Amino acid sequence: MPEASNTALMTFAVYTLAVFLLAVLANRASKGKEFVGEYFLGSRSFGVWALALTFAATNASGGSFMGFPALIYTHGWTLALWIAGYIIVPLVSMGLMGKRLNEVARKCDAITIPEVLKGRFESSRVGLVATSLLIFFMFFYLVAQFKAGGKILSTLLANEAYFQSAVELVGSATQNIPWVNQAEPDYLVCLLVFSVAVIVYVVYGGFRAVVWTDVMQGIVMFVGVILMLGLALWQVGGLSNATRQLAEMTPPENGIGTVTLPSPATTERAVEKGTWIAQSDGVYRLAAKATIPIGQVESESVDILKITTEEEISRLRREIGSSDLRLKIEEMTRYKYGAGQKGVYVTNPGPSPTNQLGFLAIGSAISFFIFWPFGAAGQPSNMVRLLSFKDTRTLRYSIVTVGIYYGVIYLALVIIFCCARVLMPGMEIDPDRTMPDFATKLTVDAGVPWLAGVLVAAPFAAVMSSVDSFLLVVSSAVVRDVYQGEINQHASEKRLRLLSHLVTVVVGILAVLFVLRPPTYLQDLIVFATGGLAACFLVPMVLSLYWQKMTGPAAIAGMLGGTMTHLGLTCWGYLKYGEFRAYEFVGLNPFIWDLAGSIIACLVVVWIGPKASQKLVERFF
Amino acid sequence: MNQIWNQIEELESVASPGLLVNVDCVARNIDSMVRIVDGDTGRLRPHVKTHKMPAVIQMQLDAGIGKFKASTIAEASMVAGAGGQDVLLAYPVVGLNIQRLADLRDQYPETCFSVLVDHPSAISMLAEAFPKRDKPLRVFIDVDCGMHRTGIPWGEGLDQLRDRIDQSGDLEFAGLHVYDGHLHQPSLDERQQAVTEIRQKIADYATRSGAPEIVAGGSPTFAFWAQQPGIHCSPGTTVFWDIGYAEKFPDLPFEIAAALLTRVISKPGNERICLDLGYKAIASEMPFERRLKIASIEDAKLVSHSEEHLVLETASADSLAVGQPLIAFPRHICPTVALHSSAHLIRDSAITGQQWSVTARNRTMPTENTPPSDPPFRSSLRELKWIIAIWLFNFVWVITYCWLFGYSPDQPIALTFGIPSWAFWGIFAPWGVATAVSCWFALTQMQDHPLDVDDTDEQTEATDA
């Protein structure tokens, strides 16, 4: 679809220009202000819209616009229950600590989360432990988000001619550079473009630029989702129609097969990924590219997908038309839950290819309802936003704004991609493409291909708004907590400015280098990092803010207790499942056990350790 | 005592005349109070008239003390504002103060207020002012056990008063208030004997007519009443103590926790020095010659006292320089505290730079007739509890509904507005409700606070909490 792709490129260009423009404006606005406070926290000056949208956009990372649509497509309406914890995310993640955290941070003159803990207990040790754990977990997150940024961009630009030329050029230029040459050239180009864009505007504009671009990105995401909702409902013929059709659907089957020709190929015959093949025993889609060599009638074995819903099969048979290609099936695997069963897409626990209990057993639903709000509350990138608002009225109105924003976005996404399941079969071969492909399909079918640019910009905006925040959180931990806090407390403004910029660039480059060859379990690392951060910071922070008896040693114990439980369950999970994921003890999300570990560690140390200093109690309570 | 007060560092940072409070001593005095009732803090109802400070209330709350006694509406308001759960206004309430008390009850509905009555007309006035309320006003009968200041003597009048309360329907009999302020016998035995006699009368009444709570005694007799099971004790001065009580009642284990900072402002000769400690800085309640003591000047003799000046005669006048700081101990600390708007804090024998406000020295509290405004910590804590409750409500709704109605793939699908019914009623509906509740909560229930305060104010604010 070159038209749509062209638009995507244009959108990306306009979008990037807008981001740079905001960075320039932010840079101008920051003139004359104390550098470190401005660069890392925008001088605590943000109002309702800035706070609300930066909060919403940072939270809605790439996952919300890539992973979440893919999950809805694959498992159906059960995702409404999976995401239901977001009902209360704005109130819990902003209201639980917002006012108090901002107040305590101002008393300590803190601009980072480790600095708040350090100031609250007047203990460098607490600050250092917090900084170390923050950098440890944050780096995984940053790496994963950089990868997501590169991947999304390469998806958007895949069919663009200019892009292909650039890919060839970069591919040949880097083929002899060790480490770098291990990355696919198209991914490499996108990763570099994405990273340079983000690093440049963060370094130039600081936190203010990050927040302003978040506001723009938040608006883009909102508008994109609303447009998609309208188009999807219109094209599917109403939500009732979509849900009824969905109720008749049965999950596909995955398998392996070879593509065959009736006679030997005269030239090498490449059959693209996504090609449909209809034959007497069913309708199939290739999940990988197959190649039939010259003189042969059969390709190598490739992954395939078999459609099992009657209505889809008839529709696809009409659309596909005749072809000389045939599939020789080697092996087919049915879903472990929901195979051949109508209604699984409109109820819980949702179909699952791997889990006999289905996608969302009730224990998991309970866990997620706890994890979303409290996990969000425990993210340092969210907490740091709560240091930046100018007054409590801003916080109150932001909760309202984010509440309405999330309600619209997430419920709309569930509806949109349930419609996608009906309108666009066979996306199980590459679920991450569901969002951009559906956006393109909707706009092209509606005769407005230019709109695809706006729609596909949404996930890109989401990733960008998360990456920029994490980049600053990690940089501020190094500059403020380690350098200014421990090494040189009287560093000059000029030196801090230079160092802040340098660290942001170095952290960005390190992340890019690391992600050139992403570790196998990268997605699992994201889960590991998110859970780890919340497990590490939530309980110690809440107790530090609200409990007079809380002490510095107890805060360290809480951070380490949560982290160790998290690491312990992850090791247990690795031994049990052979995968990099935490063990779900009695079927509950590891986050709940992490929190329990953290709470117990805090309480034990408060109980047996030194008493809270009366002086600190009087200062903060 | 003098050792503690003779070694205070950084006195130069405090302007004179100024009220000083040693927080470590206050903490030890509160510990002693708790120890005297064997840790049963439910039997303590300390009087707040001595300190009038929310910060001291907070320390007592932290020690597990939840009930307080007050003399003025402003003190009662301060206790409620600081988080006290139960306040006895141990003072006859008449005139406009009845309405102020009613307003206070409305302002702090979670605090239990009670008052004293000692006359039938007081009962009529209160019953008229507190009609048809969900919670009837609790009243204690004030018994005159010998002080002859307020109260009704033991006997028939007391029984009639009790009947009037029971018949009123709008008031609830809370018990007896028996203040023995006339008992100042330095002799332990004599004091104990006097307490025993009053105790016997209380026991007779309680056996005959019943009394839910008996509040008895003041500071001098605190230790004796503490030994009487079922009696609630209301010491007041024990929290700061003073040289008057320290000299009279050495048997009581309290330390002087409050004093005054004064400086030599002039040396008029004839072994005289003049201090900036007029009777606007130290109460003139006591006889002139016994009004105060100066630490480190044992032979100081008071010569004259005016609004801002205090002239002393001492053989050591020559060794005292103009500007030299001195520590003065009022014989009775309570009225002196009320002359100061704040107290400078001492901790670990050094001035901390922090202050506590003496908020209830004012006759009218600024918060009266205005919605209570908690400091950010308290309001945040209250909001945290609300948020957890709202989360829990949604959790139960969503999980229970979806579990009951959303896990049956074999059933024919029912739709509501095109959405599977289980998802509509189990997720979309609670989502709407949760968003509406979040908006309502954020817009109407969350309190605003100034966050940018300068450091001095901020420290005073924080310690006031």
Side-chain angles (χ1 to χ4, degrees):
Chain A
M1 294 170 213
E3 257 181 301
S5 178
N6 227 337
T7 318
L9 184 64
M10 286 293 291
T11 308
F12 176 68
V14 170
Y15 191 80
T16 312
L17 275 179
V19 164
F20 285 140
L21 184 68
L22 285 174
V24 171
L25 292 175
N27 185 280
R28 285 193 181 172
S30 67
K31 291 273 189 271
K33 297 195 169 85
E34 187 260 329
F35 173 74
V36 174
E38 170 64 25
Y39 185 69
F40 293 124
L41 210 52
S43 307
R44 292 188 219 275
S45 59
F46 293 108
V48 173
W49 285 105
L51 178 67
L53 288 175
T54 187
F55 204 90
T58 302
N59 254 300
S61 68
S64 305
F65 286 88
M66 295 291 278
F68 185 50
L71 285 175
I72 302 167
Y73 185 91
T74 314
H75 306 287
W77 270 101
T78 191
L79 263 293
L81 179 55
W82 185 79
I83 200 71
Y86 264 79
I87 279 177
I88 206 75
V89 161
L91 193 59
V92 172
S93 58
M94 300 177 88
L96 202 66
M97 289 189 281
K99 192 161 65 179
R100 180 77 178 131
L101 184 58
N102 192 293
E103 183 208 5
V104 170
R106 282 173 197 249
K107 281 186 178 173
C108 314
D109 195 24
I111 59 171
T112 68
I113 294 308
E115 218 177 358
V116 172
L117 290 169
K118 177 183 167 184
R120 164 69 180 82
F121 299 110
E122 292 184 357
S123 159
S124 300
R125 204 173 294 168
V126 177
L128 272 180
V129 171
T131 306
S132 312
L133 291 171
L134 181 83
I135 294 175
F136 172 71
F137 285 121
M138 257 317 182
F139 194 71
F140 288 119
Y141 213 137
L142 192 59
V143 161
Q145 292 292 334
F146 265 107
K147 184 199 170 194
K151 280 283 178 198
I152 289 176
L153 200 54
S154 65
T155 308
L156 301 187
L157 303 178
N159 301 321
E160 172 55 45
Y162 292 114
F163 174 67
Q164 294 299 348
S165 320
V167 168
E168 281 173 26
L169 197 67
V170 171
S172 58
T174 57
Q175 62 185 348
N176 295 322
I177 304 175
W179 184 263
V180 177
N181 60 7
Q182 296 175 49
E184 295 285 329
D186 62 332
Y187 168 65
L188 182 62
V189 170
C190 292
L191 180 65
L192 289 178
V193 170
F194 174 79
S195 314
V196 169
V198 174
I199 293 170
V200 165
Y201 85 70
V202 170
V203 167
Y204 196 66
F207 190 80
R208 193 176 291 276
V210 166
V211 169
W212 286 1
T213 49
D214 280 359
V215 171
M216 183 178 79
Q217 288 150 359
I219 294 169
V220 167
M221 289 191 272
F222 193 82
V223 172
V225 166
I226 296 295
L227 287 175
M228 276 192 92
L229 179 67
L231 288 175
L233 287 177
W234 175 52
Q235 292 188 17
V236 84
L239 185 54
S240 299
N241 188 33
T243 311
R244 284 205 186 89
Q245 287 191 51
L246 204 55
E248 294 299 312
M249 287 186 168
T250 50
E253 292 174 17
N254 296 304
I256 300 170
T258 54
V259 181
T260 62
L261 285 170
S263 54
T266 50
T267 56
E268 185 179 82
R269 179 85 178 263
V271 187
E272 293 300 326
K273 175 182 176 182
T275 303
W276 288 98
I277 297 174
Q279 54 194 31
S280 57
D281 63 340
V283 174
Y284 297 86
R285 195 175 194 197
L286 294 192
K289 185 178 176 180
T291 309
I292 304 169
I294 302 175
Q296 302 285 318
V297 292
E298 193 170 347
S299 72
E300 77 280 24
S301 295
V302 289
D303 289 337
I304 54 172
L305 183 85
K306 183 183 183 186
I307 303 298
T308 61
T309 304
E310 287 304 324
E311 193 277 334
E312 279 185 328
I313 293 171
S314 342
R315 177 153 53 99
L316 286 166
R317 281 190 191 284
R318 284 196 302 276
E319 288 173 5
I320 293 166
S322 58
S323 162
D324 58 346
L325 296 174
R326 286 290 174 270
L327 265 181
K328 196 160 92 185
I329 311 300
E330 292 176 0
E331 178 190 324
M332 291 309 294
T333 312
R334 285 158 67 87
Y335 269 38
K336 286 207 172 146
Y337 179 87
Q341 202 179 343
K342 289 182 179 177
V344 284
Y345 283 108
V346 292
T347 54
N348 300 302
S352 170
T354 53
N355 192 336
Q356 287 178 336
L357 296 175
F359 172 74
L360 192 70
I362 189 69
S364 300
I366 292 172
S367 302
F368 277 109
F369 206 97
I370 298 169
F371 178 72
W372 291 127
F374 293 100
Q379 296 305 312
S381 55
N382 284 342
M383 287 188 200
V384 83
R385 270 151 180 71
L386 298 174
L387 309 187
S388 72
F389 60 81
K390 64 180 178 188
D391 54 27
T392 48
R393 183 184 167 277
T394 301
L395 177 72
R396 295 191 295 112
Y397 280 82
S398 296
I399 290 174
V400 172
T401 314
V402 178
I404 295 169
Y405 187 95
Y406 277 169
V408 172
I409 290 265
Y410 284 105
L411 293 179
L413 282 173
V414 172
I415 293 174
I416 291 168
F417 290 96
C418 281
C419 294
R421 163 95 246 158
V422 173
L423 290 173
M424 204 171 60
M427 282 311 293
E428 283 90 350
I429 61 163
D430 194 355
D432 279 350
R433 283 195 65 96
T434 307
M435 167 79 188
D437 282 9
F438 192 52
T440 309
K441 177 182 167 55
L442 284 177
T443 49
V444 170
D445 288 357
V448 281
W450 56 270
L451 207 54
V454 178
L455 302 186
V456 294
F460 187 71
V463 174
M464 217 177 209
S465 61
S466 299
V467 170
D468 55 20
S469 310
F470 299 145
L471 200 55
L472 267 193
V473 169
V474 175
S475 311
S476 65
V478 175
V479 175
R480 178 77 171 186
D481 301 332
V482 178
Y483 183 75
Q484 204 182 4
E486 303 300 327
I487 299 172
N488 184 358
Q489 292 182 350
H490 307 291
S492 69
E493 180 98 351
K494 193 177 162 193
R495 178 176 286 246
L496 287 174
R497 182 188 297 266
L498 185 70
L499 192 69
S500 302
H501 290 161
L502 191 69
V503 169
T504 308
V505 172
V506 169
V507 169
I509 290 174
L510 276 179
V512 169
L513 286 178
F514 196 67
V515 86
L516 282 176
R517 194 180 148 195
T520 318
Y521 298 120
L522 195 67
Q523 285 306 314
D524 296 321
L525 277 183
I526 297 180
V527 176
F528 171 76
T530 325
L533 282 166
C536 176
F537 286 103
L538 181 63
V539 171
M541 185 56 89
V542 169
L543 293 181
S544 301
L545 296 178
Y546 290 107
W547 196 28
Q548 297 183 1
K549 291 184 180 169
M550 186 66 175
T551 60
I556 293 177
M559 286 188 276
L560 293 177
T563 306
M564 298 311 287
T565 313
H566 192 63
L567 293 176
L569 286 173
T570 308
C571 291
W572 190 357
Y574 188 78
L575 293 174
K576 182 145 181 98
Y577 310 122
E579 294 172 23
F580 188 75
R581 70 184 171 102
Y583 179 64
E584 295 186 356
F585 186 58
V586 297
L588 291 178
N589 191 304
F591 175 68
I592 294 164
W593 300 116
D594 298 344
L595 287 189
S598 185
I599 290 172
I600 290 168
C602 284
L603 295 182
V604 167
V605 176
V606 165
W607 182 259
I608 60 169
K611 276 194 166 183
S613 144
Q614 188 63 25
K615 184 179 135 214
L616 290 175
V617 170
E618 277 173 17
R619 184 172 174 208
F620 290 105
F621 289 87
Chain B
M1 168 266 288
N2 280 354
Q3 286 79 359
I4 292 174
W5 287 98
N6 281 341
Q7 297 164 351
I8 300 165
E9 293 167 17
E10 298 183 33
L11 272 179
E12 63 281 1
S13 63
V14 179
S16 56
L19 177 65
L20 306 176
V21 167
N22 188 319
V23 183
D24 301 327
C25 295
V26 174
R28 286 197 289 271
N29 285 345
I30 292 173
D31 282 348
S32 297
M33 289 161 67
V34 173
R35 219 172 22 252
I36 285 173
V37 290
D38 287 335
D40 184 1
T41 51
R43 287 182 58 211
L44 277 177
R45 189 186 273 282
H47 209 309
V48 304
K49 49 114 185 175
T50 301
H51 57 83
K52 295 174 181 275
M53 299 176 186
V56 175
I57 299 288
Q58 188 61 56
M59 287 179 76
Q60 292 176 322
L61 286 171
D62 291 344
I65 301 167
K67 295 192 278 194
F68 298 89
K69 188 162 122 175
S71 289
T72 66
I73 298 281
E75 286 174 2
S77 171
M78 173 199 73
V79 174
Q85 299 120 33
D86 187 321
V87 190
L88 163 59
L89 180 53
Y91 198 84
V93 192
V94 295
L96 192 61
N97 283 346
I98 294 177
Q99 186 54 47
R100 288 176 70 203
L101 178 65
D103 293 344
L104 201 58
R105 259 173 50 116
D106 291 341
Q107 193 180 351
Y108 296 102
E110 289 169 9
T111 305
C112 173
F113 290 95
S114 50
V115 286
L116 296 187
V117 290
D118 62 358
H119 197 274
S121 59
I123 294 173
S124 307
M125 285 189 284
L126 288 171
E128 194 180 334
F130 292 86
K132 293 174 189 163
R133 287 178 176 255
D134 298 336
K135 278 191 305 183
L137 179 69
R138 299 178 76 237
V139 292
F140 283 83
I141 295 179
D142 187 19
V143 177
D144 177 6
C145 64
M147 193 181 184
H148 309 316
R149 186 171 69 180
T150 60
I152 186 163
W154 301 106
E156 199 179 330
L158 176 60
D159 295 335
Q160 287 170 357
L161 215 52
R162 169 74 180 272
D163 292 342
R164 289 285 293 261
I165 294 168
D166 291 342
Q167 288 158 13
S168 75
D170 296 317
L171 306 177
E172 177 188 325
F173 176 63
L176 300 181
H177 174 257
V178 187
Y179 180 57
D180 55 3
H182 58 294
L183 302 185
H184 283 282
Q185 299 91 329
S187 155
L188 262 173
D189 291 343
E190 286 176 23
R191 239 185 304 151
Q192 186 151 27
Q193 178 57 33
V195 166
T196 308
E197 285 168 17
I198 298 171
R199 177 73 181 103
Q200 190 53 51
K201 289 180 179 164
I202 292 173
D204 291 346
Y205 178 85
T207 311
R208 186 162 38 87
S209 307
E213 183 178 336
I214 313 283
V215 181
S219 295
T221 54
F222 169 37
F224 304 126
W225 286 111
Q227 290 165 9
Q228 309 296 326
I231 299 289
H232 292 234
C233 305
S234 57
T237 315
T238 47
V239 72
F240 281 174
W241 213 227
D242 56 30
I243 54 163
Y245 278 0
E247 287 175 4
K248 259 187 168 175
F249 313 115
D251 53 299
L252 290 169
F254 299 101
E255 301 173 43
I256 293 185
L260 294 165
L261 173 70
T262 178
R263 286 191 173 86
V264 178
I265 53 169
S266 178
K267 295 174 71 173
N270 295 332
E271 297 191 327
R272 287 184 177 185
I273 55 171
C274 183
L275 306 182
D276 54 358
L277 201 62
Y279 49 67
K280 284 181 175 168
I282 183 166
S284 54
E285 172 204 25
M286 289 288 160
F288 172 61
E289 65 280 3
R290 296 176 53 227
R291 209 159 274 175
L292 69 137
K293 267 197 163 185
I294 305 287
S296 73
I297 310 179
E298 294 294 330
D299 66 337
K301 187 177 154 198
L302 276 67
V303 177
S304 69
H305 204 187
S306 50
E307 286 182 58
E308 302 292 357
H309 302 77
L310 173 70
V311 179
L312 299 175
E313 211 170 79
T314 167
S316 53
D318 286 348
S319 62
L320 296 167
V322 170
Q324 178 159 344
L326 296 168
I327 301 294
F329 300 107
R331 184 155 298 276
H332 188 197
I333 190 68
C334 308
T336 293
V337 169
L339 296 174
H340 296 261
S341 60
S342 64
H344 300 270
L345 303 190
I346 298 166
R347 187 173 283 112
D348 298 331
S349 301
I351 296 289
T352 63
Q354 296 171 322
Q355 295 180 38
W356 280 348
S357 294
V358 190
T359 53
R361 70 192 285 258
N362 300 314
R363 283 283 158 188
T364 308
M365 294 290 279
T367 53
E368 278 186 48
N369 302 318
T370 57
S373 174
D374 292 338
F377 162 63
R378 198 96 34 77
S379 72
S380 299
L381 189 61
R382 187 180 65 88
E383 287 155 14
L384 177 137
K385 291 173 188 167
W386 265 97
I387 290 169
I388 298 287
I390 295 171
W391 171 81
L392 196 62
F393 173 76
N394 282 284
F395 175 80
V396 171
W397 180 352
V398 171
I399 296 297
T400 311
Y401 193 92
C402 291
W403 190 25
L404 292 176
F405 301 104
Y407 275 84
S408 39
D410 304 332
Q411 302 290 321
I413 185 75
L415 301 186
T416 306
F417 300 119
I419 296 165
S421 287
W422 67 267
F424 183 84
W425 294 112
I427 295 161
F428 281 62
W431 202 307
V433 170
T435 305
V437 169
S438 296
C439 293
W440 163 80
F441 182 75
L443 295 178
T444 66
Q445 297 301 302
M446 286 179 75
Q447 280 186 10
D448 279 331
H449 299 280
L451 295 168
D452 252 339
V453 282
D454 73 71
D455 203 41
T456 325
D457 287 352
E458 172 193 303
Q459 293 195 347
T460 311
E461 286 266 341
T463 49
D464 283 354

